[in-house]
Amino acid sequence: MNNLILRVVSKILIPLIIVFALYVQFHGDFGPGGGFQAGVIMSAAIILYALVFGLDAAEQVIPSTLLRVLASMGVLIYGGVGLVSLLFGGNYLNYTVLASNQIAGQHLGILLVELGVGITVFSVMLIIFFAFAGRGRI
Amino acid sequence: MIDVIIDVTVLAFLTITAVAIVRMTNLFAIVMLFGIFSFLSAVMFIGMDAVDVAFTEAAVGAGISTVLMLGTIALTKDRKEKYPGGHRPWLPLAVVIVTGATLVYGTLDIPAFGDLNAPSQKHVAPYYIEKSMEDTGVPNIVTAVLASYRGFDTLGEVVVIFTAGIAVLLLIGGRRRKSDVAGQAGEDDDE
């Protein structure tokens, strides 16, 4: 696609979308948002890139093998936080034991868990998008 | 008062959008209207002070699912099929009216919106509102409930999303293999 305006505008927008996704991800404790929303917004940035610059360019940015690894890694991070809290002597997914006091432990646990959610949602959305969009050009 | 005006206006727009979706045949326009429908729902959620839900609705409903439906249209075709002949609307219409009337009748027993004595406000909600800051130090109660108190549920949700990704990959993934096959066929032709 050779639409100059689309290319320029999306090149300006994509970094902003990514920064906003990171803000939603890591500010979810304080404002609206969290892993689910951040993952979707982050994948929207890549989808915009794919729509304007083509699927092949987008797959060079994020190869589909990497996406599969990331999707599993998000779930592993989430489950891993639970296992670590088991090892530290708490219940599964009880973050209090992760740090010296309850507030710090809960903060750390929620941050890690939301990160896992964000990574999985981001990569699964892109996996689905690439699967749908890739069908058309065999 | 202003809440009521906003609610009535947004509900009216939702109804107009839904009727337009039903009456249109151009699937591209219908997908766009679905996006508008999602945005209007998000506005309604904001009116109910559920910003986290509104956020998700705007991002997933209006953003991602619109793109996925457009991708599907690109793979299939962009117009509805004509209805086969002999279609009579009366039986489906009766079913819809009876179901709708039952649902409306059911809402009569639901407590008013924001009612302090509603069962949902009496159960664990007071504990979360009073203690979540003390327990987790996270100002956003939604995040505290989602990630900490209800961590198991959220783990389940993440696994559901992961499973959806795997299912899509199994069903329509594997584009690389097909293009490899196409490439080999091309080489065979050259030979």
Side-chain angles (χ1 to χ4, degrees), chain B residues 54-66:
Chain B
F55 210 154
T56 317
E57 178 67 39
V60 179
I64 299 290
S65 52
T66 306

Side-chain angles (χ1 to χ4, degrees), chain A residues 60-130:
Chain A
Q60 275 181 347
V61 176
I62 297 202
S64 34
T65 32
L66 177 66
L67 279 179
R68 292 172 200 190
V69 173
L70 281 178
S72 329
M73 204 144 80
V75 181
L76 279 180
I77 289 175
Y78 202 131
V81 171
L83 279 184
V84 169
S85 49
L86 265 187
L87 289 178
F88 282 8
N91 290 329
Y92 191 71
L93 289 176
N94 180 5
Y95 316 132
T96 305
V97 292
L98 291 179
S100 51
N101 64 52
Q102 180 170 3
I103 300 289
Q106 291 285 342
H107 256 297
L108 183 65
I110 290 176
L111 194 78
L112 286 174
V113 157
E114 292 274 8
L115 189 66
V117 173
I119 291 174
T120 293
V121 171
F122 163 73
S123 35
V124 167
M125 290 298 156
L126 281 182
I127 284 174
I128 296 177
F129 171 73
F130 283 147

Side-chain angles (χ1 to χ4, degrees), chain B residues 152-168:
Chain B
F152 268 68
D153 292 9
T154 312
L155 177 62
E157 283 171 38
V158 175
V159 172
V160 164
I161 292 174
F162 182 60
T163 316
I166 293 175
V168 168

